[in-house]
């Protein structure tokens, strides 16, 4: 299967694209579109996280669960929305923590491409979703693919910082070699849980301390 994805990722994940489960993902999406369903993000942005952050550039991984399912929100980067779209509640709380942690002013937009281009892989566990139906593609095979992505990073990269926010993300811990990498865990930034440990986690300043210690450039979190 000829998947249009950034070359370093295509080489690293080539075996996944030929497996039956991945072919089923493609067939499922094509069938839904043919039946009139709207799928987010648009096709050119499904692999946007990989396009913006080649495998050799990955320094940080922020794992989300599902693309946004409202119009014009999903852009293939976890938690991120395009400029001109109001930041959703979880992203608003991420910005609040950044303000408390590093003093960043609350941005006027929610486009996190600047993070991705510095080596922050903004990875959702599912890469597509049906409009207005949260988690509607969570069982079509994407989790097998993104688990392979996490395992590939763990095996091929060095001293990556994984930010696992919430129980869903933390369940991916067995895929990560903690002898090579650092995992920071907290509650999810959702309004339902942010006060249970996300606020005050200081993951952004801690991440930069870890990157500097590893001899890497810190992330400029200001967007």
């Amino acid at each position: 299967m000829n998947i249009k994805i950034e070359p370093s990722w295509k080489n690293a994940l080539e075996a996944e694209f030929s497996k039956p489960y991945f072919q089923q993902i493609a067939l499922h999406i094509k069938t839904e579109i043919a039946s009139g369903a709207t799928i987010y993000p648009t096709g050119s942005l499904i692999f946007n996280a990989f396009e913006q952050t080649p495998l050799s550039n990955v320094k940080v991984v922020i794992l989300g669960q599902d693309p946004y399912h409202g119009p014009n929100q999903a852009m293939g980067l976890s938690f991120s929305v395009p400029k001109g779209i109001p930041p959703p509640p979880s992203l608003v709380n991420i910005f609040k923590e950044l303000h408390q942690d590093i003093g960043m002013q609350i941005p006027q937009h929610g486009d996190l491409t600047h993070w991705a281009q510095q080596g922050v892989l903004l990875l959702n566990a599912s890469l597509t979703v049906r409009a207005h139906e949260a988690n509607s593609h969570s069982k079509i095979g994407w989790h097998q693919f993104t688990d392979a992505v996490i395992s590939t990073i763990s095996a091929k990269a060095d001293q990556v910082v994984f930010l696992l926010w919430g129980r869903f993300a933390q369940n991916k811990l067995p895929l990560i070699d903690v002898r090579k990498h650092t995992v920071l865990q907290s509650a999810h930034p959702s309004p339902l849980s942010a006060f249970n440990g996300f606020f005050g986690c200081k993951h952004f300043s801690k991440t930069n301390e870890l990157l500097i210690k590893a001899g890497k450039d810190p992330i400029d979190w200001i967007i």
Side-chain angles (χ1 to χ4, degrees), residues 118-141:
Q118 296 177 78
V120 181
L121 182 68
L122 297 166
L123 179 68
N124 277 318
S126 295
L127 299 189
T128 58
V129 68
R130 275 196 309 275
H132 310 299
E133 296 182 47
N135 294 313
S136 50
H137 284 179
S138 64
K139 296 181 180 179
I140 70 170

Side-chain angles (χ1 to χ4, degrees), residues 3-207:
I3 301 297
K4 294 182 179 179
I5 189 172
E6 192 276 331
S8 67
W9 285 111
K10 187 167 187 177
N11 291 337
L13 300 169
E14 189 171 10
E16 300 302 314
F17 298 133
S18 62
K19 291 180 179 178
Y21 85 85
F22 197 89
Q23 297 174 27
Q24 283 298 119
I25 293 173
L27 178 61
H28 187 103
I29 293 172
K30 288 177 181 177
T31 300
E32 287 199 356
I33 292 173
S35 70
T38 298
I39 306 299
Y40 297 133
T42 185
S44 63
L45 293 177
I46 291 174
F47 295 108
N48 191 29
F50 304 91
E51 193 66 34
Q52 300 296 336
T53 315
L55 177 56
S56 60
N57 292 0
V58 175
K59 297 190 289 189
V60 181
V61 177
I62 298 179
L63 184 65
Q65 187 167 351
D66 204 37
Y68 295 121
H69 53 81
N72 304 314
Q73 289 182 307
M75 58 182 296
L77 304 175
S78 62
F79 296 101
S80 181
V81 291
K83 291 178 180 177
I85 302 298
S90 290
L91 184 54
V92 169
N93 284 341
I94 289 171
F95 290 157
K96 288 179 179 177
E97 174 58 23
L98 273 160
H99 176 70
Q100 292 295 324
D101 186 9
I102 66 170
M104 185 187 85
Q105 290 189 342
I106 303 297
Q108 299 301 306
H109 66 88
D111 186 345
L112 306 180
T113 302
H114 179 58
W115 294 3
Q117 291 174 341
Q118 296 177 78
V120 181
L121 182 68
L122 297 166
L123 179 68
N124 277 318
S126 295
L127 299 189
T128 58
V129 68
R130 275 196 309 275
H132 310 299
E133 296 182 47
N135 294 313
S136 50
H137 284 179
S138 64
K139 296 181 180 179
I140 70 170
W142 279 128
H143 288 192
Q144 185 172 343
F145 176 71
T146 51
D147 281 358
V149 171
I150 296 168
S151 296
T152 297
I153 296 168
S154 180
K156 294 182 178 292
D158 290 310
Q159 300 184 79
V160 172
V161 181
F162 289 83
L163 304 184
L164 304 184
W165 298 335
R167 186 173 300 174
F168 177 86
Q170 290 159 14
N171 285 339
K172 304 298 182 179
L173 183 59
L175 301 172
I176 302 165
D177 185 347
V178 295
R179 298 168 299 178
K180 293 174 58 182
H181 308 289
T182 302
V183 175
L184 300 180
Q185 303 183 61
S186 78
H188 193 276
S190 161
L192 298 175
S193 57
F195 286 98
N196 293 329
F198 178 76
F199 289 138
C201 70
K202 298 187 180 297
H203 278 186
F204 304 100
S205 59
K206 288 178 180 178
T207 292

